């Protein structure tokens, strides 16, 4: 079957055409039009600006994905669209476009949960085969700009959220810290790169002795690391980095000292943020006797997190391909494929009238 998938939940307008034949999977197109440059000016995603850009790009992006896959709309068997969670003005563009396509082409339409799709990005392998041999129960760690969740998956499409952030998501914390340090947007890749190229001994490069002393006893907090549950909190860590940086700037650092300080802050922040994820994941694996560990979401591209998982997670684990960690429509298509397999004949038939009832839901839960 051929699926056309559409994603507009945040700041990427994306469309993809994927053909599924038993365990063979062929990504025929995967178009992502990013709005990073527009939102960078504001240091974060501005929902109405995002909607305006989606509106401008949605038809060209869908056309490009059909053209590149050499597919006509008539040849598509199923249209899939993200209907939540996400920014409502942004979601409305993708859902409206796909409802219109479905209505005029009389093709079935299926609504997909964005978080679930991030998890299903793990089912893509490098060699065009569907990876469907992960043993259940699966523990999935979702780390993105909007979510930090631990999800227990007992079987395909059977989820239980066992813990989540009580305030900021981890990706949001990376972005806010990059903003505090005036490093640019989005902060995740920038902080991660700086942190990875920094060694502890770089503190010796700092000339100002008072600043050097600040770093000597520095250990950023690991909020809720021993809370006994599987919830997270990242706002305290962010505030603590902010106060540390404020204190440091009152000591009038030279340009060079400031540069080294930012690198060290990035490194110590990343270590704190990731240690919490690892500890909670280990505890959840034990408590729920999970057989497979999956990582998902934009922050899954983080190399330090991947290394820490490789070193500390003692059950089989898997990461999505790097290019499918951030928002994309290929993950919407693969999620739709599994949803579709699970429907009864009648439910499948009803999908052609889904355009009447499908609604965007910014707080959609698994
Ligand atoms: O999944 P995603 O593309 O969008 C949401 O659904 O939120 O995640 C975006 C988030 C941003 O906060 C971005 O800074 C973060 O993922 N991110 C990273 C890295 N690459 C992207 N965070 C840490 N390290 C990275 N390498
Ligand atoms: Zn996402």
């Amino acid at each position: 079957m051929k699926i056309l998938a559409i994603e507009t939940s945040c700041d990427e307008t994306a469309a993809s055409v994927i053909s599924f034949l038993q365990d063979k999977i062929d990504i025929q197109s995967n178009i992502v039009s990013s709005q990073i440059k527009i939102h960078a000016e504001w240091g974060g995603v501005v929902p109405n600006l995002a909607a305006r850009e989606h509106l401008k790009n949605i038809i060209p992006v869908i056309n490009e994905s059909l053209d590149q896959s050499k597919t006509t709309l008539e040849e598509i068997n199923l249209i899939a669209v993200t209907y939540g969670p996400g920014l409502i003005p942004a979601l409305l563009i993708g859902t409206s476009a796909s409802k219109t396509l479905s209505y005029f082409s009389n093709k079935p339409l299926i609504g997909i949960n964005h978080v679930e799709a991030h998890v299903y990005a793990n089912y893509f392998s490098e060699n065009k085969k569907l990876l469907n041999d992960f043993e259940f129960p699966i523990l999935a760690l979702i780390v993105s700009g909007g979510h930090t969740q631990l999800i227990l998956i007992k079987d395909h499409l059977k989820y239980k959220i066992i813990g989540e952030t009580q305030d900021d998501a981890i990706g949001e914390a990376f972005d806010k810290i990059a903003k505090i340090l005036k490093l640019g947007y989005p902060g995740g890749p920038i902080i991660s790169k700086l942190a990875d190229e920094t060694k502890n001994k770089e503190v010796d490069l700092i000339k100002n002795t008072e600043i050097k002393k600040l770093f000597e006893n520095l250990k950023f907090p690991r909020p809720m690391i021993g809370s006994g549950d599987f919830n997270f909190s990242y706002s305290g860590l962010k505030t603590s980095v902010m106060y540390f940086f404020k204190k440091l700037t009152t000591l009038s650092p030279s340009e060079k000292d400031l540069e080294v300080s930012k690198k060290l802050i990035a490194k110590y922040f990343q270590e704190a943020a990731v240690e919490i994820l690892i500890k909670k994941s280990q505890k959840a694996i034990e408590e729920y006797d999970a057989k497979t560990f999956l990582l998902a979401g934009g922050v899954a591209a983080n190399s330090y997190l991947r290394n820490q998982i490789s070193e500390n997670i003692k059950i089989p684990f898997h990461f999505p391909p790097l290019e499918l960690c951030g928002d994309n429509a290929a993950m919407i298509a693969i999620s739709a494929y599994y949803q579709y397999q699970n429907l009864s004949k009648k439910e499948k038939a009803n999908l052609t009238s889904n355009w009447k009832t499908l609604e965007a839901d910014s707080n959609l839960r698994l």
Side-chain angles (χ1 to χ4, degrees):
M1 82 183 293
K2 260 195 187 196
I3 300 181
L4 166 67
I6 295 168
E7 151 69 41
T8 65
S9 68
C10 192
D11 60 346
E12 327 278 358
T13 316
S16 172
V17 173
I18 302 194
S19 140
F20 296 87
L21 189 64
Q22 284 145 7
D23 69 339
K24 288 266 184 321
I25 175 166
D26 186 10
I27 304 183
Q28 299 182 333
S29 65
N30 184 26
I31 311 295
V32 181
S33 166
S34 172
Q35 307 173 1
I36 280 179
K37 277 195 191 136
I38 287 153
H39 299 292
E41 251 180 75
W42 306 90
V45 180
V46 184
N48 285 346
L49 276 184
R52 212 183 275 226
E53 285 305 297
H54 286 311
L55 191 56
K56 213 186 309 174
N57 295 326
I58 187 79
I59 291 173
V61 164
I62 294 172
N63 271 340
E64 198 181 335
S65 79
L66 288 169
D67 284 353
Q68 206 180 85
S69 62
K70 300 193 173 54
T71 307
T72 62
L73 193 54
E74 285 69 49
E75 293 168 297
I76 294 292
N77 306 108
L78 177 65
I79 300 170
V81 66
T82 308
Y83 74 113
L87 305 168
I88 271 291
L91 287 165
L92 284 174
I93 308 298
T95 48
S96 306
S98 49
K99 285 168 79 155
T100 311
L101 277 181
S102 166
Y103 172 72
F104 280 106
S105 64
N106 203 28
K107 299 283 177 189
L109 171 67
I110 191 163
I112 296 298
N113 180 311
H114 180 87
V115 173
E116 181 174 30
H118 271 303
V119 174
Y120 272 92
N122 276 284
Y123 283 74
F124 287 108
S125 73
E126 308 293 336
N127 59 358
K128 296 192 172 175
K129 276 190 116 183
L130 204 57
L131 290 175
N132 49 10
D133 52 357
F134 297 131
E135 195 182 344
F136 294 101
I138 292 170
L139 181 74
L141 174 63
I142 319 298
V143 280
S144 75
H147 291 85
T148 310
Q149 289 181 327
L150 274 169
I151 298 174
L152 188 70
I153 311 175
K154 294 201 182 111
D155 200 347
H156 280 298
L157 317 178
K158 291 202 170 64
Y159 308 101
K160 184 180 173 199
I161 299 171
I162 60 168
E164 61 192 327
T165 184
Q166 307 295 292
D167 40 58
D168 293 354
I170 183 166
E172 198 181 348
F174 269 91
D175 293 340
K176 283 186 180 164
I177 280 160
K179 195 172 175 181
I180 293 166
L181 301 179
K182 297 193 174 62
L183 292 171
Y185 173 85
I190 306 171
I191 297 263
S192 152
K193 187 170 174 287
L194 272 190
D196 291 348
E197 61 191 33
T198 307
K199 307 262 177 299
N200 281 342
K201 64 175 188 313
E202 281 185 38
V203 74
D204 295 336
L205 299 176
I206 296 176
K207 297 263 168 19
N208 182 322
T209 50
E210 276 179 282
I211 295 180
K212 208 181 230 177
K213 218 185 253 161
L214 276 187
F215 278 102
E216 267 162 23
N217 301 314
L218 177 64
K219 188 172 182 207
F220 288 130
R222 274 85 170 138
M224 293 186 75
I225 199 163
S227 62
D229 57 16
F230 300 108
N231 290 328
F232 301 89
S233 162
Y234 279 102
S235 81
L237 172 57
K238 173 196 70 193
T239 313
S240 155
V241 172
M242 187 180 79
Y243 282 125
F244 180 84
F245 188 62
K246 255 192 184 161
K247 202 163 162 190
L248 189 149
T249 45
T250 59
L251 298 172
S252 316
S254 66
E255 217 168 283
K256 182 72 197 157
D257 279 357
L258 191 61
E259 193 189 317
V260 178
S261 299
K262 285 183 183 183
K263 290 175 73 176
L264 288 164
I265 292 172
K267 178 179 163 61
Y268 296 150
F269 158 72
Q270 182 171 270
E271 282 172 6
V274 168
E275 191 181 328
I276 306 165
L277 298 177
I278 298 291
K279 284 275 147 55
K280 299 254 170 179
S281 301
Q282 285 173 322
K283 192 168 150 36
I285 287 168
E286 212 171 283
E287 187 154 328
Y288 291 94
D289 198 19
K291 300 291 185 230
T292 310
F293 180 77
L294 300 181
L295 185 65
V299 185
N302 185 283
S303 51
Y304 178 72
L305 173 58
R306 286 177 173 230
N307 288 339
Q308 287 298 303
I309 289 171
S310 310
E311 280 175 24
N312 296 295
I313 297 297
K314 302 297 178 205
I315 59 170
F317 58 85
H318 192 264
F319 309 134
L322 263 186
E323 68 280 10
L324 297 180
C325 287
D327 290 348
N328 65 85
M331 69 183 192
I332 306 302
I334 198 165
S335 189
Y337 177 71
Y338 276 97
Q339 293 275 354
Y340 189 80
Q341 307 301 319
N342 244 41
L343 297 179
S344 65
K345 244 187 176 163
K346 188 162 176 258
E347 285 169 326
K348 282 179 183 163
N350 285 343
L351 293 179
T352 36
S353 47
N354 219 359
W355 60 268
K356 292 182 196 165
T357 48
L358 186 77
E359 279 186 34
D361 179 352
S362 67
N363 295 316
L364 185 66
R365 301 274 290 175
L366 270 178

